[in-house]
Amino acid sequence: MTKFLALSALLACMVKVGMAVTVTVNSAASHPIPSTLWGLMFELALTNFLSGDGGLYAELLKNRAFQQVSPGSSESLTSWAAVNGAAISVIQETNPVSQALPNALHVTIPTGRTGKVGFTNSGFSGIKVTAGTPYKASFYYRFPTSSHFNGQATLSLQSSSGQVLGSTTVHLSGSQTTWKQVTATIRPTTNASGFNNVFAVTLDSAAASGQDINFAMFSLFPPTCKGRPNGMRVDIAEALAELQPKFWRFPGGNNLEGDTLEQRWQFNATLGALVNRPGRQGTWGYSNTDGLGLIEYLEWCDDLGMEPIMGVWSGFALGGTNIAEDSLGPYIQQAVDQINFVIAPTTHAMGALRASLGHPKPFKLNFVEVGNEDFFASTSYVYRWRNFVDTLKATFPQIRFISTTPPNQPALTPKPTDYDLHVYQTPSWFYQNAFFYDDYVRDGSKYFEGEYAAISTNPNDLFGVIGNGRLEFPTMDSAAGEAAFMTGLERNSDIVFAASYAPLLGHVVNHQWTPNLIAFDAGAVYRSTSYYVQKMFSTNAGDQYLPSTLPSRTGTLFWSVVRKTSTNQLIIKISNTANSSAPLDFVIPFDNVAKSGTAQVLRGTGTASNTPSNPNLIVPVTSTIPTGKNFHYDAPPSSVTVITFKAS
C-alpha cells in the first residue's frame, strides 16, 4: 500500500509540473464489461412540462383530458382559450366519456356572432407546425340535449396571429347525445415561423348559434418514432437513440412512489385505450396523463434494443405513507401482476391481457427494482424488502431484484444481490471520487449507479437556486468531472453492472430541476456537454477491461482502457479536469498495433455550456492521431477524449 501511495503521489506531481505520465496497458483483460453498463434513467415527472407529457411522449396537447383538475377552476382550463366569445368551462360530466375521465369541456356557442367560434389549445408552451406533415387529431363529443344542429367543425393549426397553417373539417350531429369519437388528419400547407401556434376547434357562429356541446379526451399527434401509435416524439427519440443505450430504467424514481398511496404509479392504470387511463397527480405538483404507460415503455425498449430495468412500488409514498407489514399483500400481488404482464405466456391472465393490447410475445425482463431511494424510509424498508422479495424471488427466480438502499444501511434479509446508488454532487466531487468503487468488497454484490450528475459548484447548497452554484445546463467542467467518475465505473465494471445520468430531459421554458442531459422545447432538442460524454462512453463501450497504470487518486487526470474483441480495437478514455493540458505516454503491449487511430475530443472553457441560444458551442471533434506500441498524447485542458485504434 505504501508503494502504491508513493506512485500515486508521483503521478500527481508529474501532472502538476507538466511531465508526461506513462500509462502501461496490460494485454490480459481483468474482467468482461457488462453489456448493460451504459443506459438511460427516465423520470416522468421532473419538469412542469414533463419529460413524458410534452417531451418524449409525442402528444402535442396539454391538459388534453382535464385529468386531475377541479371542474370550474381557472386551473382546469390550463392551455385552453375561447375563440370569438365562446363560453368554455370544465365540468364534471353527468354522463362521462369513461369512468377514468369524469371531466369534460362544456362549450356554449353565443348568439349574435359572426365568423368562427370555438376554442384553442396552446400545447406545451407551443406547437411545432411543419408543412406537409400529417397531424392526427381526435376528440369525443356529445350534445347534452338533442338538437337539430347538423354541421361541420373545423380543426386547424394556427399561428398566434390567427394565420391558418392547415385545416380540415369533421361532421357533428346535434342528435348525438352519447359520446362519439371523431378523428381527422390535418396536413398544414404552410410552415410556422416559430412555435407559438395553437390547435383550434371552431364552428360557424350562425349555424351553431346557441348550441351547447361537451367535448372530452382530445389528442393531437405528429408522426412518431417508428410510426408507433401513441408513440415517441421523433427528434427526442433520435437524440436518445444516438446514445446507443443498453438499458432503460422506468417508470422513474419519485414518479413511481407518488406523494400518496393513491398517487403512486400503477401499471394497470396505464394500459389500454387513452380514454380508460385516469392519470394521476404527479409527485411534483401537476397531473400526469399516463399516456406513456407500461406497454409504451416496453415497446420503446424493443425499439432501441434496451434492457428494461423496471421499478415496482414497494409500499412507501413520498408524503410519508408506509404500508404496515400485515397490509402489504395486495401491493405485493400488484407487483407480481406487473411482472407477469411483462413476461408471462398468453395462457396466463396477465399474458393474455398483454396479448389483447397487441403484444402476445413476452417482453425481456432481467432486472426489477423494488421501490426507489428507500434510504428515505429505511426502517420500514427492512420488512417491505423482505416481504416483497420473498414472494417475488420465489415467483420469478430468474430475475435480479435491486435494493434501493446503500449496502447494509440497513442490513436486509434476504441479502440483496444488487443495489441502486444515487449521487448528485459538484464537478470536483466526481473526479475526486473516481475511485469510489475500487475499495468495495468483492462479495458477490453488484451495483447500479442509477442516478448521477454534477449539478452545482456549491457543495454547501447542492439543491439551491441557479446563481448560487446550481447549474442551469451542464458545463464542460461538470461533463469532465462526470467522465472521470465514469472511468472509475468502467474500471470497476466487475461489480458495477449499469450506470445512468439523471435527469434525462428538461423543458427549457418551465422546469423544476436543472441541469438535464437533454434540454428541449416545443420543436427543438439541445444536446449538453454531459450528453456528449455519455455518447462517447456508450458508443465506445468495449467488452473487456484492460488494466493499466492507475491514475492518481488525488490528481486531475483520469483514464480507462477497454478492448472490443470483435474488431480488435483498443479504446482509451481520458478525462482531464484541469485547466491546463496533460501529457501522456502510452505503452501498448500487443504485437500488432496500428500506427494511427481516431481521437474524439470534447473540450471547451470549463464554465461554458451548450444552451438554446448556442446549442453547438461544445461538440466532439474527431481527428486522426499517431498511435503505435508507444505513443504520446496531450490531453487538452477541460476535456474528454476517446482514442480508438487497432491492436492484436
Side-chain angles (χ1 to χ4, degrees):
M1 178 60 71
T2 302
K3 183 178 179 181
F4 172 79
L5 291 174
L7 179 59
S8 294
L10 177 61
L11 288 174
C13 181
M14 291 170 67
V15 172
K16 287 179 181 177
V17 300
M19 295 173 61
V21 174
T22 299
V23 179
T24 301
V25 177
N26 195 322
S27 60
S30 62
H31 61 268
I33 295 174
S35 61
T36 52
L37 185 55
W38 307 118
L40 302 174
M41 178 272 185
F42 187 69
E43 178 76 274
L44 180 68
L46 271 173
T47 57
N48 288 340
F49 299 141
L50 308 181
S51 300
D53 296 321
L56 179 59
Y57 182 50
E59 173 64 72
L60 294 173
L61 303 183
K62 186 179 181 183
N63 192 23
R64 66 182 182 184
F66 316 104
Q67 292 160 284
Q68 307 299 314
V69 301
S70 299
S73 67
S74 58
E75 291 78 11
S76 66
L77 283 171
T78 296
S79 295
W80 297 93
V83 173
N84 197 17
I88 64 173
S89 62
V90 174
I91 62 169
Q92 183 172 340
E93 251 283 6
T94 56
N95 179 24
V97 68
S98 68
Q99 287 187 333
L101 302 178
N103 298 332
L105 183 70
H106 180 71
V107 180
T108 298
I109 307 299
T111 59
R113 295 280 175 171
T114 59
K116 297 287 188 179
V117 177
F119 50 89
T120 64
N121 185 287
S122 56
F124 294 86
S125 193
I127 297 173
K128 181 181 180 180
V129 179
T130 305
T133 297
Y135 293 80
K136 295 182 178 179
S138 65
F139 59 80
Y140 289 80
Y141 83 95
R142 81 177 188 95
F143 283 71
T145 57
S146 183
S147 82
H148 296 295
F149 178 80
N150 192 29
Q152 304 293 320
T154 299
L155 313 185
S156 62
L157 288 165
Q158 302 180 13
S159 71
S160 57
S161 63
Q163 178 189 9
V164 176
L165 306 168
S167 67
T168 189
T169 59
V170 296
H171 182 259
L172 303 184
S173 172
S175 63
Q176 188 70 46
T177 57
T178 58
W179 290 103
K180 180 179 181 179
Q181 187 179 29
V182 171
T183 61
T185 298
I186 304 171
R187 195 178 296 270
T189 57
T190 304
N191 283 318
S193 58
F195 305 143
N196 192 18
N197 309 302
V198 298
F199 167 73
V201 178
T202 55
L203 294 90
D204 179 76
S205 59
S209 177
Q211 297 292 323
D212 290 304
I213 313 172
N214 290 351
F215 295 87
M217 190 56 248
F218 292 85
S219 184
L220 181 68
F221 267 84
T224 60
C225 180
K226 294 187 180 293
R228 285 195 181 275
N230 199 47
M232 308 301 188
R233 178 173 144 175
V234 171
D235 57 349
I236 295 179
E238 288 176 345
L240 297 180
E242 286 176 24
L243 295 170
Q244 297 180 22
K246 301 306 185 292
F247 70 83
W248 179 252
R249 178 184 172 225
F250 71 92
N254 300 145
N255 180 56
L256 171 69
E257 295 160 303
D259 273 337
T260 67
L261 173 65
E262 294 75 19
Q263 292 169 4
R264 73 192 191 278
W265 186 85
Q266 300 184 69
F267 84 98
N268 45 298
T270 74
L271 300 175
L274 298 181
V275 75
N276 293 322
R277 303 188 192 189
R280 64 208 157 81
Q281 190 66 20
T283 303
W284 298 89
Y286 39 83
S287 62
N288 294 331
T289 68
D290 282 332
L292 185 55
L294 177 54
I295 200 160
E296 286 82 16
Y297 284 127
L298 294 167
E299 289 173 341
W300 172 239
C301 288
D302 276 0
D303 287 346
L304 266 65
M306 300 180 291
E307 284 258 11
I309 298 182
M310 183 178 74
V312 295
W313 195 73
S314 67
F316 169 72
L318 284 173
T321 299
N322 283 277
I323 302 299
E325 185 170 8
D326 60 3
S327 300
L328 285 173
Y331 308 103
I332 295 172
Q333 184 58 52
Q334 191 172 36
V336 170
D337 290 343
Q338 180 180 332
I339 296 170
N340 271 321
F341 177 85
V342 179
I343 65 173
T346 55
T347 52
H348 188 284
M350 287 293 105
L353 174 59
R354 183 190 65 244
S356 73
L357 299 176
H359 207 287
K361 182 180 177 181
F363 291 98
K364 183 178 183 179
L365 185 64
N366 293 314
F367 304 96
V368 169
E369 192 161 14
V370 180
N372 171 70
E373 293 185 345
D374 279 282
F375 49 79
F376 286 119
S378 58
T379 301
S380 68
Y381 196 61
V382 173
Y383 71 75
R384 291 187 288 112
W385 168 266
R386 179 177 64 244
N387 283 270
F388 269 84
V389 173
D390 279 350
T391 297
L392 294 177
K393 193 65 180 174
T395 310
F396 309 103
Q398 76 280 19
I399 290 177
R400 287 165 58 177
F401 292 95
I402 304 170
S403 164
T404 68
T405 55
N408 300 313
Q409 298 178 38
L412 300 175
T413 304
K415 180 176 169 53
T417 57
D418 300 87
Y419 295 90
D420 178 7
L421 306 181
H422 299 172
V423 59
Y424 295 103
Q425 262 292 350
T426 64
S428 59
W429 184 96
F430 277 98
Y431 72 73
Q432 290 165 1
N433 285 270
F435 284 78
F436 186 87
Y437 286 99
D438 288 68
D439 300 326
Y440 269 48
V441 176
R442 267 56 178 173
D443 62 356
S445 299
K446 302 292 184 181
Y447 301 94
F448 173 28
E449 195 67 43
E451 299 181 25
Y452 66 94
I455 64 171
S456 177
T457 60
N458 186 347
N460 298 314
D461 191 18
L462 288 171
F463 298 93
V465 298
I466 296 169
N468 193 33
R470 187 67 180 266
L471 302 178
E472 184 173 9
F473 300 99
T475 64
M476 191 60 235
D477 278 345
S478 65
E482 291 155 3
F485 186 72
M486 292 166 72
T487 64
L489 298 179
E490 197 165 58
R491 181 172 61 253
N492 290 282
S493 57
D494 59 321
I495 60 172
V496 178
F497 73 91
S500 48
Y501 181 103
L504 186 63
L505 299 166
H507 198 291
V508 299
V509 173
N510 197 351
H511 49 257
Q512 290 175 315
W513 179 283
T514 64
N516 298 276
L517 194 69
I518 296 173
F520 67 92
D521 54 28
V525 172
Y526 310 104
R527 294 160 174 80
S528 70
T529 53
S530 293
Y531 170 92
Y532 288 116
V533 166
Q534 293 292 320
K535 182 177 179 180
M536 291 164 74
F537 273 69
S538 184
T539 58
N540 295 282
D543 53 72
Q544 292 182 339
Y545 182 79
L546 301 186
S548 66
T549 307
L550 285 174
S552 166
R553 289 194 178 214
T554 59
T556 55
L557 180 65
F558 305 88
W559 59 84
S560 65
V561 184
V562 302
R563 187 174 186 228
K564 188 173 183 179
T565 55
S566 62
T567 57
N568 287 328
Q569 284 182 310
L570 252 58
I571 304 167
I572 302 173
K573 302 180 181 77
I574 305 166
S575 171
N576 181 13
T577 64
N579 58 10
S580 58
S581 63
L584 298 107
D585 288 326
F586 288 96
V587 179
I588 310 298
F590 285 86
D591 293 332
N592 300 299
V593 181
K595 295 186 182 300
S596 65
T598 298
Q600 301 173 57
V601 182
L602 185 75
R603 63 177 297 189
T605 303
T607 57
S609 300
N610 292 338
T611 65
S613 60
N614 196 353
N616 299 311
L617 177 64
I618 303 173
V619 298
V621 176
T622 301
S623 63
T624 299
I625 64 169
T627 56
K629 291 186 177 183
N630 296 274
F631 70 94
H632 181 86
Y633 179 73
D634 288 316
S638 299
S639 69
V640 180
T641 302
V642 177
I643 299 173
T644 307
F645 55 94
K646 295 270 191 175
S648 61

